[in-house]
Amino acid sequence: MKTSSNYTNLRDIWYTMIGITGLEDAHTWISIPICSMYIVAVVGNTLLLFLIFTEHSLHEPMYLFLSMLALADIFLSTVTTPKMLAIFWFQEGGISFGSCVSQMFFLHFIFVAESAILLAMAFDRYVAICYPLRYTTILTPSVIGKIGIASIIRSFLICFPLVFLVYRLTYCGRNIIHHSYCEHMGIARLACDNIQVNIYYGVIVALFSTCLDVVLIIISYALILCTVFRIPSQDARLKALGTCGSHVCVILLFYTPAFFSFFAHRFGGHSIPLHIHILLANLYVVVPPTLNPIIYGVKTKQIQEKFIQVFSLSKKFC
């Protein structure tokens, strides 16, 4: 590992991530639930993908969007958790500048893409409830594919400039990252240059990607509620709202900790300890991917039925 006080070649820079600052002695215990959740997340989302792609009855817009969400969840947890566990178990916190920037890019890229997928799922529920007779003509497989591609392109265009923003900075020896994974401002704060551009761009990205998605999701559900409350039958109203229950739970699970972390960093000052910030950030990349397939499995009858069928067949073969 380099120890020079002045780096001129970015390829020579190595960082040391120390995990959860202040809770180093508890790393082993913290790793147990994180590792367990990571396994459940990968297995649960992989099973969900398998069910959706092998069962023709699940080839509907809602489930195709759900498959995109499951794939994003697998990537989100896999980009961060293995390295996190290496730090907790083996104190292997060393990472090169290039690898750190790569992890940063994919972390933010997947986050923005997943936010777009949740917006697409809100649009799906809006069309299903407000325009039920036109549902299959509006959300055709071609349209769904274009929405998925647009989500990826938008995320790439938003997050790729982050790579240039950290590469343009000058680094001069500070190489300790008080975190379990690399993210944009964590890298930028180790530079010796002025990082105002990085700060402004980070806020702009948050406002015009995640916050804009949330506003559009709220508008979608406001229109959904207006339509639902005009339905004369109470049973029909409850059924319509029930189809949105899983999506609302996933939305709250995804955005609540993200906004808490965002506002706590900017307005919380030193009132919230650093180890709380880092612990929440660590849980954030494993808890939603773990619970999303469980939420949809519990609340969606079709997925329950297909899971029982697959499980029954596997028991017969065993």
Side-chain angles (χ1 to χ4, degrees), residues 80-273:
T80 53
T81 309
K83 183 63 178 179
M84 190 189 305
L85 294 176
I87 297 170
F88 292 161
W89 290 341
F90 312 113
Q91 291 76 51
E92 292 289 338
I95 188 170
S96 67
F97 180 83
S99 298
C100 194
V101 173
S102 297
Q103 187 185 54
M104 172 208 76
F105 169 76
F106 284 110
L107 174 67
H108 293 297
F109 171 81
I110 297 166
F111 178 86
V112 174
E114 188 158 343
S115 179
I117 293 168
L118 290 175
L119 174 59
M121 295 174 78
F123 177 69
D124 167 79
R125 292 298 85 202
Y126 164 73
V127 175
I129 292 174
C130 298
Y131 302 97
L133 299 179
R134 299 174 56 195
Y135 181 61
T136 55
T137 58
I138 294 175
L139 288 173
T140 62
S142 174
V143 170
I144 294 169
K146 289 176 182 177
I147 290 174
I149 293 171
S151 300
I152 293 172
I153 293 174
R154 186 194 78 149
S155 183
F156 179 83
L157 293 176
I158 288 173
C159 297
F160 194 65
L162 296 174
V163 176
F164 292 100
L165 288 176
V166 294
Y167 263 96
R168 73 180 180 86
L169 298 172
T170 302
Y171 301 88
C172 52
R174 288 179 288 184
N175 65 345
I176 302 297
I177 297 178
H178 296 275
H179 212 307
S180 305
Y181 53 79
C182 298
E183 46 89 25
H184 173 227
M185 289 310 301
I187 299 175
R189 288 194 177 100
L190 297 176
C192 303
D193 294 337
N194 188 307
I195 61 170
Q196 287 299 316
V197 174
N198 298 70
I199 294 172
Y200 292 147
Y201 188 77
V203 173
I204 290 170
V205 165
L207 288 176
F208 289 97
S209 60
T210 308
C211 291
L212 180 60
D213 290 346
V214 170
V215 170
L216 293 175
I217 289 171
I218 291 172
I219 292 172
S220 297
Y221 272 97
L223 295 172
I224 288 171
L225 290 175
C226 289
T227 301
V228 168
F229 288 130
R230 286 200 295 265
I231 299 174
S233 169
Q234 183 176 357
D235 291 339
R237 285 200 299 268
L238 293 175
K239 184 178 179 180
L241 290 174
T243 63
C244 301
S246 301
H247 185 233
V248 171
C249 291
V250 169
I251 287 172
L252 293 175
L253 196 62
F254 182 80
Y255 288 113
T256 301
F259 280 110
F260 172 81
S261 179
F262 179 83
F263 287 114
H265 271 297
R266 283 155 182 79
F267 306 111
H270 298 287
S271 60
I272 301 176

Side-chain angles (χ1 to χ4, degrees), residues 64 90 222 240 243 248 264 277 292 296 309:
L64 294 178
F90 312 113
T243 63
V248 171
H277 282 291
N292 286 349
Y296 274 98
Q309 287 178 12

Side-chain angles (χ1 to χ4, degrees), residues 4 23-24 33 47 69 76 106 132 146 168-169 246 265 295:
S4 170
L23 295 179
E24 289 86 354
L47 179 59
L69 182 68
L76 179 65
F106 284 110
K146 289 176 182 177
R168 73 180 180 86
L169 298 172
S246 301
H265 271 297
I295 290 171

